Amino acid sequence: PFPMNSFSSVVELLWTRKNIIVIGGAGMSVSCGIPDFRTPGTGLYETIDAPFLGLLSPEDLFDLECFTEDPAPFYRFAKALYFPP
């Protein structure tokens, strides 16, 4: 095992490895200003206009079964997200 008792030891470990996997949660993106899904008032689910997209709920936008049945709502959302009117 590699002793990781300082920042420099972690840096050294990373420099000596070829394959690195980073596992992170929603907190990583939130700290960068990217909204999470569930925060009241600012979460992505509150900003999605489900009826406009033809969905029963915002969560359906990221549901595989809903996407498989009709991917159009997801693509409408993505277009509006990346190419706002």
Side-chain angles (χ1 to χ4, degrees):
F2 195 88
M4 290 190 275
N5 53 8
S6 69
F7 181 74
S8 60
S9 63
V10 173
V11 171
E12 183 180 343
L13 174 69
L14 293 174
W15 277 110
T16 60
R17 301 299 188 254
K18 292 183 180 182
N19 299 310
I20 300 169
I21 296 174
V22 176
I23 299 173
M28 292 177 68
S29 57
V30 171
S31 67
C32 297
I34 300 169
D36 64 10
F37 287 85
R38 296 178 186 91
T39 299
T42 60
L44 191 56
Y45 287 151
E46 285 202 24
T47 64
I48 294 173
D49 186 352
F52 170 76
L53 295 171
L55 301 169
L56 296 176
S57 73
E59 292 85 352
D60 288 344
L61 186 63
F62 302 102
D63 182 88
L64 181 58
E65 187 175 326
C66 291
F67 179 81
T68 303
E69 288 177 16
D70 182 12
F74 177 82
Y75 291 120
R76 279 196 298 272
F77 170 76
K79 181 180 178 183
L81 184 66
Y82 289 105
F83 304 104

